[in-house]
Structure formats: structure tokens, C-alpha cells
């Protein structure tokens, strides 16, 4: 049914399709044709489905427009409105020309995006294979979840791209080619046009005003290059040149900047004056000796001197600030003596006690001590190494048993990690299953809170199926593994 | 194995606390200091025989003193070396003789001074580190020096040596020196930490009479060879801190943000640095008052 809520861009009457009279409607997202007198559309194609359009050559009697879809099908419309047929068809063609690329890009862009994502991330690719190809999740759900994650990241990264600047020599690069017969030929690309607009904003204004109402693009640019504005004459000859205003505006801008003056006294050329030593001393008010300079010199310099003295008076602190700024770097200065408070420890010996809890030492009487020492001394006096009788073989063998795997001393150790016990292909399969299960769980949790009936449905029927499918896969794997073992 | 390219230094630190050993002799006559020394000698000989470039040092730890048993200061080159009757490798016989001589002299000299039933190992380990460093400076360019310290601990840990011990451990870690520990009697938290931090092996021996077997099995191979062998797994180390007030080991506690001292209970004033901390006022009292007002 024709959905009247769509925006209709163009209506063309008396268009025949398959030998039937009807009306052609071009809407926001599709093109549709309905036979005469009927409400519904018999033919309706989304712009995204249309691969290209073809028109019959100009000379032919029949004025036709053919739409070729991606699937290979084609639909032909015959414009039979007599006088306006050609116009109609051209209007349709132009509108389609504008609309088709928009939709084409969109469809392609999405596919491209998906392909790119799959190629970049092998884990994602594996997930896709495991889940979508084996029909555990449908492709739409998979991408719906993923794309929302990615668009956020992308917008952030896109904003950080920097704008490319204009090369300084671009105007000189537009070298005209002599056209042979006393004319010049300029090659304008959209890049150059953009650069011109950026450099001369007034030209952009003029362009917006005049094109396409008064002048065509070609005429505009011809006039631009002819104008004195471009050739830097800047003599406003009062010609009826649309660009003379631009020159006047530029002049105005520059003048205002000049009147503002220069803030940095180091750079201000007006302040650069040679001063004799006496003048300097006078300026700084040291000593009261009258100047010996000749009167005319004094009078000459008096005006400027007064100026410079006054200006110097005001500029001196400014100059100092500027000088300091250029000499010193804040980062490289040493720490500006932060006030510190000394740590006042009353019982600092507490730190030297380690985590050795106070143990009650075995109480030994002094008699015990004396005994022990005498025993030891007695023993050592007669000490001779007997290396052949260090230990009995029984003792040795029991020690070896304790040290062998599974022995007394080897408990809790020798835990082999799973990657030593299990062969690589099983490991890889296990990893894939694990990530797939994780992805399913993510889908599950993203369904909460359950707002729409779709989600509810997804939860109740769909996801449960998916989890069952995943679990049965796991069981298959497990039985296979058991069979391998046995 | 390129014998000339690698020097393996083993320093044995033996705890010869005479009180503990004397009591041990009374408890278990089969395993006394003599047997222990014999076992150590076996290990030392084995180490020297493994490679021509292996080096050895033995330090005895007595209370707060440490004494080099080997290489000993008494031995002057040029002394007559008594050719032993059993045709042993001369280096070994010299080593053993010196070793025995030194320990005899040491034990003769010891006096009864206080009831030190614990051993201060930090001293000896520090000396061991210096010895290793000495040998390290004597290496020829292109030689790889690997060193480790084996600590045989008999008596209990002393509580006085914590700071020094930790400094020594970290110094050893910096220099890639392993500290192994062979514990005869009571578990030592400090040595467990030392082994954990430097990458050595900690072993508490269940049967003292089989000491030689344990030494040869576990502590003879050097660090590289150990990765190829199946040895006792590392012990779980108790890294809990002790609170400053009771010296209990705690897992969750309160730390003063000024002096970083640890307490097990909250107190408004830190007793170490005397900083006052504001106590959070209880909120309940305010609302209760309000309720009372509205009721009235």
C-alpha cells in the first residue's frame, strides 16, 4: 500500500510502464509507480536497491528511463506526456542522480564498516563465525549490539582529525595556460576554490550572493580573475566590479588593525629610537645636569623625546615583563620553597620492629646455658670430619622419597597449568567456545531492563534457544573429547 | 658448560648458636653439630668439584658475630699442605682441614655471654654479600658471575634484626644474589621473605639426620639448573603487617596518614606522631532531636 506519510519529491503524470498508463512518484526513500486511477503502487523500488539508471538517447522518439537494480532486474518507464515528456524525464533523471548516490553510499558504507571491523579484529571474526554462521544468533542482533559500541568510539576519533591548512603558494600555483589566442586558461579544482574562499572570505560572500542567481560559476570565476582585486592593483577605479567592494573591505580591516597599535613594546617599531646618553639619563631622572645638546636638536627631538619619555615611562614595566617572559621558563624553575612541617615522631623505634610477633622465648635457665655450651665445646674439641659416615642409606632414601613428586615435601606444588596438559587445538577450541559464551551472556544481560516486547520475546524464546544450542555444542565437544581419551 | 666463562659462588652461612646446638645434642644425640658440619662439608666439596671455577665461602654465625670459616685468615700460602693419605683432590682436603680447624678454634673461644638463644643472621648475610662483591670485582671481563647464599638456620629468629635484615635482602635482590634457606627447627618468617624476594628456595627439613641428602638434592644445583628440576614448591609467605600497638599480625587495620604507622584499632590520636584525627560525628543524634521537636 502506498504509505502517504512519506514525503513526495516529484510526481510525473502520464508515465507508461509495461504498456500501462500511470503516474510516477519519487519519494524520500523510494521510487514508485501506480497505474492510472488506482491507489496502490504496482512498482516500488528503494533507492538503495537501484544500481543505476539509463535514459534513451536524445534523438529517439520514445522518451524512456530505465532503472537497473542490484539484482539485475530492470524497470522501464515511458514518458508519454507529449510536450513535457522530455522535460519530465530530465527532471526525474536529475533528481535520481542526486538521490541515488546518497543511498548507495549508505548501504556500502555500512557493509564496508562491517567488513573492516571483521578484518581488523580476529576475535570478532571468530565470534561471528561461531555465532552467526552456526545460526546461534541472527546477524542483525549481532551487528546491532556491536555497532552501537563502535559508533561512539568512531565519533570521538573523527573529531580529533586536524584541519589541513592552505599552502602559501597556492595562488601562484594556479598558473594560467595560454589558450593560444590571447586568452588565459585557469584550471580550477575544488581544492583551489576552497582555498580561495578561506583566504578571501569576502569572495566567498560574493559567491554566495551572486551564484547561481546572477552569474554562472564560470562567469564568476572569469570576473574574479580579471578583476583588479586579484591582480593587486587595489586602485578602486570605481568600476562596476563586484570585487571593488572586497578591496574596500580589506582596506578597512587593515586600517582598523593599524589603529589598534602594537601591544608588545619590544616589537613596536615606533618606539625604536636612538637616544643619546644624556637623554637616557634625563629620562631616568639621575643627576640634574642640564643637557648640552644644541637647541635645534633639542627642539627637534623634544617632541619625539617627550613622546618617547612618556611612552617609555609607561612601557618600561611592560618591557620588563616581556623580557622576563622570554628569559624565564616556569617549568625549569626550582621549587619555590614550599613550607614543610617536620615529622614529629615520638616512638620511632616502632618502625624497626618487623612483623615478627612477640614470641615468648623459651625459658632457659642459666644452668641450661652453661651445660649446653660445655657440651658443645667438648664435642668440638674432638671434632674430626668423617665424611664417609655422614648418614645412613635409610635416612637418605626416605629423604629422597619425601622429595620425589607426590612426596611429603612436594605437596601443593607441581600444579600444571592447563596449557601444559591439553593439546593446542583443544585449547583453541576451548577459547573460541569461551568467547562465544561470553558474547551470548552479554546479549542476555543487555536485554535487561525488559522494556519492549521484542526484548521480552528475545529473552524468553530466542535466547533460551541460543543458550541451548550453545550448550548442546559444548556437550558434543565434551563427548568427543571423552571418546578421544578412551 | 663453558667452565671458564662462568663463576659460581656459594656462600654458606651456618648458625652455630652453641646453646641451641648443646640442647640439640641432648635432645637428639644422632644429629649434633658434628654431623651438621660433616653434611656441610659434603655439600661444599660437591660444589667445588662441579666446576673448576666454582668458589666457596663459609661463615659461622655466633650470636652477633660472624666468622669466616673458609677462606680462613690463618692460612697463608706457602704453608705446608699435608698430603692426605686417601689421595683426595687437594683442594678438597685443604678446605676440609681448614674448615675443621676454624670451627674448633671458634668454639673454644666462645664464652657464656648472656642467654642468647636466638641468632642474628643479618650480620652474617651482610658479610656474605661483601664477600661475594669482593669476588665479583675480581672477575675477568667476559665472565659471568652467579652467586647464592645458603643459610642453615638452627635457632629462632631474633626480633632485633628486622630492619637490617630487610636491607640486606633488598641489597641481595638488587645484585641478583639468591638467598636459599635450610631450616632445621623453627620456621622463620624473615627467611621466607628473603627467599621469596630474591628468588631462592626455602626448605624446612623434616628429618635432620638426612640433612646431607637434602642439601645435595635441593641446594647443590644453581639457579639455572633448578628450572630444569622438579623441586619443592615455594612456601606461602605470610606478608601480613604487625600492628604497632600489640605487635599482632593483622590483615585489615588503620594507618596514620602522617607517619604511616599501623594500628589495629581506631584511636583519635596517633600515638607515634601525635596527630589528631577528627572523628566522624554520629548522624543519628540530629534526626532524633528533630523528631522530638515535631512531636512537641
Amino acid at each position: 500500500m502506498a504509505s502517504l506519510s512519506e514525503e513526495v519529491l516529484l510526481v510525473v503524470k502520464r508515465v507508461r510502464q509495461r504498456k500501462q498508463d500511470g503516474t510516477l512518484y519519487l519519494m524520500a526513500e523510494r521510487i514508485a509507480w501506480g497505474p492510472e486511477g488506482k491507489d496502490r503502487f504496482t512498482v516500488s523500488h528503494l533507492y538503495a536497491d537501484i544500481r543505476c539508471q539509463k535514459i534513451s538517447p536524445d534523438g529517439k522518439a520514445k522518451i524512456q528511463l530505465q532503472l537497473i537494480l542490484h539484482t539485475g532486474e530492470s524497470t522501464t518507464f515511458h514518458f508519454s506526456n507529449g510536450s513535457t515528456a522530455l522535460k519530465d524525464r530530465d527532471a526525474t533523471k536529475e533528481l535520481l542522480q542526486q538521490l541515488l548516490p546518497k543511498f548507495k553510499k549508505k548501504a556500502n558504507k555500512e557493509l564496508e564498516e562491517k567488513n573492516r571491523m571483521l578484518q581488523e579484529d580476529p576475535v570478532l571474526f571468530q565470534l561471528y563465525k561461531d555465532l552467526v554462521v552456526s545460526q546461534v544468533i541472527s546477524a542483525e542482533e549481532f551487528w546491532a549490539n556491536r555497532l552501537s559500541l563502535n559508533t561512539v568510539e568512531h565519533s570521538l576519533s573523527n573529531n580529533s582529525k586536524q584541519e589541513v591548512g592552505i599552502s602559501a603558494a597556492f595562488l601562484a600555483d594556479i598558473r594560467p595556460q595560454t589558450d593560444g589566442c590571447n586568452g588565459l586558461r585557469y584550471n580550477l579544482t575544488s581544492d583551489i576554490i576552497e582555498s580561495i574562499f578561506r583566504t578571501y572570505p569576502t569572495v566567498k560572500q560574493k559567491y554566495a550572493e551572486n551564484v547561481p542567481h546572477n552569474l554562472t560559476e564560470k562567469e564568476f570565476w572569469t570576473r574574479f580573475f580579471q578583476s583588479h582585486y586579484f591582480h593587486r592593483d587595489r586602485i578602486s577605479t570605481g568600476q562596476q566590479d563586484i570585487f571593488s567592494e572586497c578591496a574596500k573591505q580589506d582596506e578597512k580591516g587593515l586600517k582598523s588593525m593599524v589603529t589598534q597599535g602594537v601591544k608588545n613594546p619590544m616589537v613596536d617599531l615606533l618606539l625604536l629610537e636612538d637616544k643619546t646618553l644624556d637623554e637616557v639619563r634625563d629620562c631616568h631622572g639621575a643627576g640634574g645636569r642640564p643637557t648640552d645638546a644644541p637647541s635645534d636638536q633639542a627642539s627637534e627631538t623634544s617632541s619625539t623625546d617627550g613622546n618617547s619619555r612618556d611612552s617609555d615611562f609607561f612601557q618600561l614595566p611592560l618591557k620588563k615583563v616581556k623580557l622576563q617572559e622570554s628569559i624565564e621558563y616556569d617549568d625549569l624553575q626550582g621549587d619555590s620553597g614550599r613550607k614543610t612541617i617536620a615529622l614529629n615522631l615520638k616512638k620511632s623505634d616502632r618502625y624497626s620492629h618487623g612483623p615478627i610477633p612477640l614470641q615468648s622465648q623459651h625459658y632457659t635457665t642459666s644452668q641450661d646455658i652453661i651445660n649446653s655450651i660445655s657440651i658443645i665445646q667438648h664435642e668440638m674439641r674432638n671434632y674430626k670430619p668423617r665424611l664417609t659416615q655422614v648418614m645412613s642409606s635409610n635416612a637418605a632414601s626416605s629423604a629422597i622419597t619425601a622429595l620425589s613428586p607426590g612426596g611429603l615435601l612436594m605437596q601443593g606444588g607441581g600444579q600444571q597449568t592447563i596449557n601444559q596438559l591439553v593439546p593446542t587445538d583443544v585449547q583453541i577450541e576451548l577459547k573460541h567456545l569461551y568467547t562465544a559464551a561470553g558474547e551470548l551472556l552479554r546479549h542476555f544481560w543487555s536485554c535487561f531492563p525488559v522494556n519492549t516486547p521484542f526484548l521480552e520475546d528475545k529473552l524468553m524464546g530466542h535466547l533460551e534457544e541460543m543458550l541451548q544450542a550453545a550448550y548442546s555444542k559444548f556437550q558434543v565437544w565434551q563427548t568427543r573429547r571423552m571418546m578421544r581419551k578412551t | 658448560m663453558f667452565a671458564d666463562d662462568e663463576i659460581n659462588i656459594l656462600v654458606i652461612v651456618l648458625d652455630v648458636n652453641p646453646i641451641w646446638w648443646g640442647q640439640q645434642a641432648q635432645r637428639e644425640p644422632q644429629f649434633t653439630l658434628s654431623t651438621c658440619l660433616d653434611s656441610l662439608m659434603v655439600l661444599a666439596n660437591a660444589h667445588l668439584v662441579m666446576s673448576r671455577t666454582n668458589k666457596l665461602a663459609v661463615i659461622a654465625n655466633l650470636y652477633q658475630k660472624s666468622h669466616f670459616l673458609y677462606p680462613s685468615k690463618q692460612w697463608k700460602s706457602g704453608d705446608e699442605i699435608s698430603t692426605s693419605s686417601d689421595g683426595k683432590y687437594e683442594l678438597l682436603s685443604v678446605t676440609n682441614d681448614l674448615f675443621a680447624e676454624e670451627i674448633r678454634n671458634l668454639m673454644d673461644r666462645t664464652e657464656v655471654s648472656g642467654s642468647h638463644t636466638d641468632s642474628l643472621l643479618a650480620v652474617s648475610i651482610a658479610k656474605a654479600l661483601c664477600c661475594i662483591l669482593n669476588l665479583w670485582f675480581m672477575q675477568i671481563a667476559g665472565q659471568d658471575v652467579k652467586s647464592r647464599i645458603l643459610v642453615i638456620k638452627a635457632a629462632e629468629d631474633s626480633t632485633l634484626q628486622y630492619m637490617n635484615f630487610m636491607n640486606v635482602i633488598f641489597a641481595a635482590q638488587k645484585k641478583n644474589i639468591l638467598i636459599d634457606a635450610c631450616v632445621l627447627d623453627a620456621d622463620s618468617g624473615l627467611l621466607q621473605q628473603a627467599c621469596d624476594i630474591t628468588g631462592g628456595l626455602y626448605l624446612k627439613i623434616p628429618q635432620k639426620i638426612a640433612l646431607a641428602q637434602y642439601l645435595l638434592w635441593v641446594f647443590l644445583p644453581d639457579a639455572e639448573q633448578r628450572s630444569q628440576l622438579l623441586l619443592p614448591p615455594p612456601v606461602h609467605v605470610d606478608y601480613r603487617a604487625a600492628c604497632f600497638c600489640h605487635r599482632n599480625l593483622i590483615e585489615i587495620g588503620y594507618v596514620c596518614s602522617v607517619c604511616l604507622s599501623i594500628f589495629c584499632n581506631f584511636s583519635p590520636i596517633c600515638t607515634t606522631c601525635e596527630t589528631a584525627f577528627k572523628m566522624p560525628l554520629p548522624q543519628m543524634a540530629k534526626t532524633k532531636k528533630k523528631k522530638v521537636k515535631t512531636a512537641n
Side-chain angles (χ1 to χ4, degrees):
Chain A
M1 284 297 288
S3 56
L4 295 166
S5 54
E6 278 180 52
E7 190 193 324
V8 180
L9 298 171
L10 184 65
V11 179
V12 186
K13 295 213 170 67
R14 305 270 304 270
V15 177
R16 289 178 75 112
Q17 200 257 353
R18 297 228 185 123
K19 308 260 167 72
Q20 261 194 314
D21 263 327
T23 326
L24 185 68
Y25 299 86
L26 278 97
M27 289 178 271
E29 283 184 23
R30 58 190 181 126
I31 181 170
W33 179 90
E36 195 80 36
K38 297 226 177 99
D39 254 343
R40 55 183 185 79
F41 296 134
T42 33
V43 179
S44 157
H45 297 299
L46 286 173
Y47 294 131
D49 291 337
I50 301 176
R51 190 156 56 115
C52 62
Q53 59 169 337
K54 282 194 191 165
I55 52 173
S56 53
D58 277 336
K60 261 199 160 173
K62 258 190 170 179
I63 300 169
Q64 286 179 318
L65 182 85
Q66 190 182 44
L67 295 173
I68 305 179
L69 306 177
H70 286 297
T71 52
E73 280 178 42
S74 65
T75 323
T76 322
F77 297 107
H78 179 191
F79 292 80
S80 57
N81 203 1
S83 49
T84 54
L86 191 60
K87 249 186 162 182
D88 287 337
R89 192 212 43 202
D90 285 337
T92 321
K93 178 195 87 168
E94 281 189 23
L95 194 58
L96 275 174
Q97 259 186 342
Q98 285 174 18
L99 291 167
L100 283 180
K102 270 193 242 167
F103 288 90
K104 238 195 235 178
K105 268 193 204 157
K106 236 197 204 174
N108 271 352
K109 200 178 172 198
E110 276 183 34
L111 261 175
E112 243 183 66
E113 187 73 31
K114 288 180 190 171
N115 269 334
R116 193 186 56 85
M117 270 171 36
L118 282 180
Q119 271 171 7
E120 274 178 11
D121 192 358
V123 175
L124 190 65
F125 191 51
Q126 188 59 43
L127 263 179
Y128 188 78
K129 270 200 279 185
D130 279 339
L131 294 175
V132 176
V133 176
S134 55
Q135 293 179 352
V136 182
I137 307 185
S138 68
E140 296 128 22
E141 282 175 26
F142 182 78
W143 287 115
N145 235 307
R146 284 278 156 182
L147 285 175
S148 60
L149 284 174
N150 270 39
T151 42
V152 176
E153 289 171 22
H154 241 282
S155 58
L156 286 172
S157 64
N158 273 343
N159 287 342
S160 59
K161 276 198 204 144
Q162 288 175 322
E163 278 186 5
V164 182
I166 317 170
S167 99
F170 86 96
L171 276 177
D173 283 339
I174 319 170
R175 259 179 257 127
Q177 303 161 341
T178 45
D179 209 0
C181 38
N182 214 22
L184 293 170
R185 195 185 165 78
Y186 285 92
N187 241 339
L188 277 180
T189 62
S190 54
D191 269 341
I192 297 178
I193 292 178
E194 206 190 306
S195 318
I196 294 177
F197 283 159
R198 276 210 242 167
T199 324
Y200 304 110
T202 42
V203 173
K204 189 173 182 180
Q205 240 184 336
K206 293 287 176 187
Y207 184 86
E209 284 169 22
N210 288 318
V211 174
H213 318 285
N214 299 341
L215 307 163
T216 62
E217 255 193 84
K218 211 172 161 190
E219 273 185 39
F220 180 82
W221 289 115
T222 330
R223 287 232 199 147
F224 173 73
F225 285 114
Q226 281 175 348
S227 75
H228 291 295
Y229 182 63
F230 182 65
H231 287 285
R232 291 286 187 267
D233 282 343
R234 301 272 185 173
I235 307 165
S236 42
T237 51
Q239 271 186 7
Q240 278 303 322
D241 202 353
I242 48 174
F243 294 104
S244 52
E245 271 195 38
C246 303
K248 281 186 193 148
Q249 277 183 359
D250 277 353
E251 282 274 328
K252 243 199 278 177
L254 282 173
K255 269 199 183 142
S256 66
M257 281 186 70
V258 166
T259 48
Q260 271 176 14
V262 186
K263 291 197 188 99
N264 189 347
M266 297 308 217
V267 185
D268 193 353
L269 290 174
L270 296 172
L271 294 177
L272 290 179
E273 291 260 337
D274 282 340
K275 287 191 203 155
T276 62
L277 207 60
D278 297 331
E279 286 169 25
V280 173
R281 240 187 275 143
D282 272 349
C283 279
H284 291 266
R289 214 157 53 94
T291 54
D292 281 339
S295 53
D296 54 342
Q297 198 183 25
S299 62
E300 250 188 3
T301 55
S302 64
S303 54
T304 44
D305 205 31
N307 263 351
S308 56
R309 209 182 296 168
D310 276 338
S311 51
D312 212 28
F313 187 67
F314 292 121
Q315 302 288 6
L316 203 57
L318 224 87
K319 270 192 183 172
K320 274 198 173 162
V321 168
K322 289 285 175 188
L323 269 174
Q324 267 205 323
E325 262 178 36
S326 51
I327 297 174
E328 291 173 348
Y329 287 99
D330 279 333
D331 308 348
L332 299 178
Q333 302 286 4
D335 275 336
S336 54
R338 278 174 264 163
K339 281 197 196 146
T340 51
I341 305 173
L343 192 60
N344 175 23
L345 295 173
K346 297 287 177 209
K347 299 183 190 166
S348 52
D349 58 321
R350 281 183 178 179
Y351 291 98
S352 45
H353 292 307
I356 308 167
L358 283 169
Q359 283 164 338
S360 53
Q361 291 183 333
H362 298 298
Y363 179 67
T364 40
T365 58
S366 39
Q367 190 57 48
D368 268 341
I369 293 172
I370 297 171
N371 272 354
S372 319
I373 294 182
S374 62
I375 289 173
I376 270 292
Q377 281 181 330
H378 177 78
E379 189 192 324
M380 283 292 112
R381 224 165 279 141
N382 307 323
Y383 169 63
K384 266 216 176 74
R386 292 179 306 150
L387 296 183
T388 49
Q389 291 154 21
V390 172
M391 62 179 167
S392 67
S393 53
N394 282 342
S397 53
S398 66
I400 293 178
T401 341
L403 285 169
S404 312
L408 199 62
L409 295 170
M410 304 294 277
Q411 301 298 332
Q415 274 169 347
Q416 288 179 306
T417 50
I418 212 167
N419 68 354
Q420 289 168 345
L421 291 170
V422 165
T424 358
D425 54 340
V426 177
Q427 273 181 55
I428 294 175
E429 222 181 310
L430 196 62
K431 274 189 207 162
H432 289 323
L433 276 174
Y434 182 76
T435 37
E439 182 71 13
L440 278 177
L441 276 173
R442 206 168 58 80
H443 278 269
F444 178 72
W445 286 111
S446 66
C447 289
F448 291 95
V450 184
N451 287 333
T452 67
F454 165 68
L455 285 176
E456 216 180 295
D457 191 36
K458 182 173 177 181
L459 269 180
M460 300 315 281
H462 210 23
L463 257 172
E464 214 181 297
E465 269 178 43
M466 290 196 277
L467 287 170
Q468 281 294 346
Y471 189 68
S472 52
K473 261 185 132 184
F474 175 65
Q475 272 204 316
V476 165
W477 179 85
Q478 222 181 17
T479 42
R480 231 189 322 145
R481 197 165 159 262
M482 300 300 264
M483 285 178 59
R484 263 195 230 162
K485 262 191 175 177
T486 55
Chain B
M1 298 257 221
F2 306 109
D4 280 345
D5 287 349
E6 231 178 52
I7 299 184
N8 245 310
I9 307 175
L10 172 66
V11 182
I12 304 177
V13 173
L14 174 64
D15 174 16
V16 286
N17 190 321
I19 301 172
W20 189 89
W21 282 108
Q23 290 174 338
Q24 170 65 18
Q26 292 171 334
R27 282 192 293 255
E28 228 183 295
Q30 315 103 302
F31 182 75
T32 62
L33 187 55
S34 332
T35 359
C36 180
L37 287 169
D38 286 344
S39 311
L40 276 181
M41 240 184 258
V42 167
L43 175 68
N45 289 351
H47 176 77
L48 286 172
V49 164
M50 291 277 272
S51 164
R52 252 188 331 111
T53 53
N54 280 0
K55 300 227 188 303
L56 175 77
V58 185
I59 302 176
N61 182 316
L62 194 68
Y63 306 133
Q64 295 173 1
K65 289 184 293 185
S66 65
H67 185 86
F68 269 91
L69 294 179
Y70 178 84
S72 100
K73 293 177 192 158
Q74 285 187 1
W75 181 47
K76 290 157 203 132
S77 55
D79 263 1
E80 281 169 16
I81 304 166
S82 54
T83 47
S84 60
S85 50
D86 54 5
K88 216 189 304 194
Y89 176 28
E90 270 165 17
L91 176 62
L92 296 184
S93 59
V94 168
T95 309
N96 295 348
D97 287 343
L98 285 171
F99 195 155
E101 177 88 22
E102 280 298 323
I103 189 77
R104 275 199 292 267
N105 294 343
L106 181 66
M107 295 319 268
D108 252 349
R109 293 199 303 263
T110 146
E111 308 132 8
V112 183
S113 51
S115 61
H116 295 275
T117 52
D118 47 17
S119 47
L120 226 56
L121 286 170
V123 184
S124 308
I125 301 184
K127 269 219 174 152
L129 284 179
C130 294
C131 164
I132 290 175
L133 220 56
N134 220 345
L135 287 170
W136 189 79
F137 280 122
M138 295 203 295
Q139 69 175 302
I140 311 166
Q143 269 179 337
D144 203 14
V145 181
K146 293 202 190 109
S147 34
R148 57 190 204 276
I149 301 176
L150 170 62
V151 178
I152 316 273
K153 192 174 98 59
E156 285 154 9
D157 265 346
S158 164
T159 51
L160 301 171
Q161 62 179 328
Y162 176 66
M163 273 302 183
N164 300 327
F165 207 94
M166 294 314 282
N167 285 336
V168 153
I169 294 173
F170 287 120
Q173 187 205 25
K174 270 265 155 55
K175 284 286 172 193
N176 290 327
I177 298 173
L178 266 60
I179 298 183
D180 298 322
C182 182
V183 173
L184 300 177
D185 195 11
D187 264 326
S188 154
L190 286 176
L191 277 176
Q192 280 179 349
Q193 280 192 40
C195 298
D196 195 34
I197 291 173
T198 54
L201 260 173
Y202 177 89
L203 188 66
K204 180 167 176 327
I205 300 208
Q207 279 175 302
K208 295 198 208 45
I209 42 174
L211 175 66
Q213 182 60 53
Y214 288 111
L215 288 177
L216 287 173
W217 186 279
V218 179
F219 296 109
L220 182 58
D222 63 18
E224 263 181 46
Q225 293 157 358
R226 282 181 201 178
S227 57
Q228 318 286 333
L229 302 169
L230 211 55
L231 294 172
V235 187
H236 172 74
V237 187
D238 190 358
Y239 275 118
R240 287 181 296 171
C243 72
F244 279 39
C245 34
H246 312 110
R247 307 280 301 288
N248 297 332
L249 293 176
I250 50 173
E251 282 169 15
I252 302 177
Y254 297 85
V255 177
C256 168
S257 45
V258 174
C259 62
L260 296 180
S261 41
I262 304 167
F263 300 103
C264 47
N265 289 321
F266 177 78
S267 78
I269 298 182
C270 168
T271 41
T272 321
C273 63
E274 301 192 342
T275 323
F277 290 98
K278 291 191 200 133
M279 279 188 37
L281 285 171
Q283 294 277 332
M284 288 300 290
K286 283 188 183 167
T287 48
K288 271 190 182 160
K289 277 187 191 163
K290 268 192 179 168
K291 277 185 186 168
V292 168
K293 273 193 176 170
T294 50
N296 289 346

